[in-house]
Amino acid sequence: EAGVAQSPRYKIIEKRQSVAFWCNPISGHATLYWYQQILGQGPKLLIQFQNNGVVDDSQLPKDRFSAERLKGVDSTLKIQPAKLEDSAVYLCASSLFSRGALHFGNGTRLTVT
Amino acid sequence: TQLLEQSPQFLSIQEGENLTVYCNSSSVFSSLQWYRQEPGEGPVLLVTVVTGGEVKKLKRLTFQFGDARKDSSLHITAAQTGDTGLYLCAGDRGSQGNLIFGKGTKLSVKP
């Protein structure tokens, strides 16, 4: 089966600019997650979708981060405006059902200068 | 505070050696997952342990879930260079929230 697709792979922006990441999960996976992985740390959950509804966004900095999952398939994560501390790898993952095994994409490495 | 503590943080060994890495918490988890992440890639699930005291083997990798379901260990026998990577444990707190990841153990196996 095709894996989780993410784009772009790398992005460099200046602080206060905006950026968007895209994720296409594994076909048929109802649950989609966005994680932030700062260098030297484990992934931190930003938001979890079940189909096109938000299940958990408690750790999403909602003043600058937003995410949507159109038609319960693809998802975009946006940061506006970006801060230096947003530099990280943004990982998208999907699972067949909530609490099922996570399948991760290769991530987008964001550098904010 | 880090809910899941992984140790050691870094480990560098020679090919053929054995090693054990640990994942500890004061919280009880309904299940615990181990992932391996290679540079530039996303984490890949290795195993899920569910029952306290459970032991699972994956070729040269042996995973154990503590009796109280608060800790876990990963033992690698006769490490190979292909085992190099970041090993992450992730605990499921069930109704109390989503998966919590540790910071990982970065393993380097030298030829």
Side-chain angles (χ1 to χ4, degrees), chain A residues 9 37 42 48 56 99 101 104-105, chain B residues 37 40 42 45 92 94 97-98 102:
Chain A
R9 284 281 306 189
Q37 187 174 24
Q48 177 185 345
D56 183 353
R99 293 197 151 73
F104 284 88
Chain B
Q37 184 176 24
L45 179 67
D92 185 345
N98 283 293

Side-chain angles (χ1 to χ4, degrees), chain B residues 6 12 26 34-35 39 43 49 52 56 63 68-69 73-74 87 105:
Chain B
Q6 289 193 245
S12 180
S26 56
W34 283 92
Y35 291 81
V49 286
K56 278 192 174 179
F63 303 85
R69 290 185 288 124
S73 63
L74 159 59
Y87 288 82
T105 292

Side-chain angles (χ1 to χ4, degrees), chain A residues 9-10 33 35 37 40-45 48 55-56 59 91 98-107 109, chain B residues 9 30 33 35 37 40-45 48 86 88 92-104:
Chain A
R9 284 281 306 189
Y10 306 93
Y33 313 77
Y35 283 87
Q37 187 174 24
Q41 298 186 19
K44 183 184 89 171
L45 179 68
Q48 177 185 345
V55 173
D56 183 353
Q59 297 192 89
L91 294 163
S98 183
R99 293 197 151 73
L102 298 183
H103 298 260
F104 284 88
N106 286 333
R109 180 177 295 277
Chain B
Q9 194 174 353
S30 59
Q33 300 174 9
Y35 291 81
Q37 184 176 24
E41 298 183 10
V44 175
L45 179 67
T48 301
L86 178 68
L88 294 159
D92 185 345
R93 293 184 295 169
S95 60
Q96 294 184 41
N98 283 293
L99 273 182
I100 302 293
F101 279 85
K103 289 187 176 183

